[in-house]
Amino acid sequence: MTGKLSDFAGLLVAPAVLASLLRVTSRRGVLGAHVAIGVVFSAIKLAPEAARAVEGLMALTPLPWRITVDPTDLIALPVLLASYRVLGEAMARPAPARPVAHRLALMAGSLACVATSK
């Protein structure tokens, strides 16, 4: 159950985290972040090789991951549309103009992803 929750939470906030890390300020860039997250998520849920590659990269960080290849997790992909709709406009603004609620949602979602990951 927690694995599925982390998939939904991760797809909600991961594009915003990626866009923030890349300092993306356009709607096109935010859309690119959402597409990139969707491609990587799909790959690790369908291909064991992709899952092992991401695990290898994450092993270099303080938060190593254990990824379960499970195509049924793809049910969470529509969350990317909700994420883009909710966060896309806010992410396309300069950081100081972003609403406090957006920053709080980003922090809470990031914590939820980490807390529910295996």
Side-chain angles (χ1 to χ4, degrees):
M1 178 71 165
T2 59
K4 298 284 188 217
L5 290 175
S6 69
D7 293 339
F8 282 89
L11 289 175
L12 185 63
V13 299
V17 171
L18 179 60
S20 292
L21 290 172
L22 298 176
R23 299 186 188 273
V24 169
T25 57
S26 69
R27 283 189 74 79
R28 186 181 213 167
V30 172
L31 177 61
H34 281 77
V35 169
I37 294 297
V39 167
V40 171
F41 180 78
S42 297
I44 65 174
K45 294 303 175 178
L46 295 172
E49 301 81 15
R52 299 302 79 81
V54 171
E55 284 179 348
L57 288 173
M58 293 306 296
L60 302 173
T61 73
L63 300 170
W65 290 0
R66 170 109 167 82
I67 299 172
T68 303
V69 177
D70 182 0
T72 65
D73 289 345
L74 296 177
I75 194 168
L77 278 175
V79 171
L80 284 173
L81 296 173
S83 173
Y84 182 73
R85 186 153 170 87
V86 172
L87 300 175
E89 185 177 323
M91 287 297 299
R93 295 185 206 140
R98 293 180 186 160
V100 172
H102 169 259
R103 292 188 298 247
L104 290 174
L106 183 62
M107 289 186 296
S110 298
L111 290 173
C113 292
V114 172
T116 60
S117 293
K118 294 180 184 178

